[in-house]
């Protein structure tokens, strides 16, 4: 379907299911330059914060609040992420996204930031830092360093 490996890496990073883990592994498996893969992944995962956070600010009351499944997901995000933020603040959000585990990526951290009404500037910095840490862990893990 896609002949452009860079586009495939971008789409994998944009997917809420695979995000950085899928994007980095896919790019490296496709033989792309490792530094390029890392930079693509970081760029997408850091800046994905803005449409998620501000999109929810604009659309939650009009659209998302009426979706029962989304409300259940919000409760799960709150239950899973709030202890990190309550205990460690900025670094809790960073730690939450830095751990490359399912459902702790940019989408979830951005939703958590919005849901807890955290300052968007601090949230973006925490998510960018956590994304960087997570990307480095995934990147080195691919090469067997971790």
């Amino acid at each position: 379907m896609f002949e452009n490996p860079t586009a495939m890496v971008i789409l994998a990073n944009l997917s809420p299911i695979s995000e950085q883990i899928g994007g980095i592994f896919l790019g490296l498996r496709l033989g792309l330059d490792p530094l390029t893969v890392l930079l693509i992944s970081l760029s997408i995962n850091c800046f994905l914060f803005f449409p998620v956070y501000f999109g929810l600010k604009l659309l939650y009351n009009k659209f998302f609040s009426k979706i029962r499944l989304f409300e259940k997901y919000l409760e799960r995000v709150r239950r899973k992420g709030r202890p990190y933020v309550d205990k460690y603040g900025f670094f809790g959000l960073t730690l939450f996204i830095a751990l490359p585990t399912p459902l702790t990526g940019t989408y979830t951290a951005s939703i958590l930031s919005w849901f807890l009404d955290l300052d968007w500037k601090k949230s973006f910095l925490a998510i960018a830092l956590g994304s960087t840490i997570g990307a480095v862990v995934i990147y080195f893990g691919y090469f067997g360093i971790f």
Side-chain angles (χ1 to χ4, degrees):
M1 180 176 178
F2 288 103
E3 292 184 27
N4 184 339
T6 303
M8 292 171 65
V9 171
I10 290 169
L11 289 174
N13 274 281
L14 287 172
S15 167
I17 296 169
S18 62
E19 288 191 49
Q20 276 189 323
I21 294 172
I24 291 173
F25 274 91
L26 178 62
L28 295 173
R29 293 289 297 164
L30 291 174
L32 293 174
D33 175 65
L35 184 57
T36 301
V37 171
L38 189 62
L39 292 175
I40 289 170
S41 181
L42 280 175
S43 299
I44 289 171
N45 279 278
C46 289
F47 290 104
L48 189 58
F49 166 81
F50 294 105
V52 173
Y53 185 90
F54 291 109
L56 281 170
K57 276 197 173 287
L58 289 172
L59 300 173
Y60 177 74
N61 288 329
K62 293 178 186 173
F63 180 70
F64 292 111
S65 65
K66 296 166 180 57
I67 302 171
R68 187 179 183 123
L69 188 60
F70 187 74
E71 290 298 314
K72 285 184 176 186
Y73 174 69
L74 275 181
E75 181 56 32
R76 186 171 189 269
V77 168
R78 183 199 59 77
R79 194 174 56 251
K80 190 172 186 179
R82 188 174 202 142
Y84 286 96
V85 175
D86 285 350
K87 190 168 185 176
Y88 302 110
F90 172 89
F91 293 107
L93 188 57
T94 300
L95 179 63
F96 179 73
I97 191 172
L99 302 171
T101 59
L103 299 176
T104 61
T106 302
Y107 284 100
T108 304
S110 300
I111 291 168
L112 180 65
S113 299
W114 164 81
F115 186 72
L116 298 178
D117 199 28
L118 303 177
D119 177 69
W120 74 265
K121 293 174 190 170
K122 290 180 183 175
S123 295
F124 172 70
L125 289 174
I127 288 170
L129 179 60
S131 242
T132 302
I133 294 167
V136 168
V137 168
I138 295 163
Y139 182 81
F140 287 135
Y142 178 85
F143 292 109
I145 296 172
F146 288 131

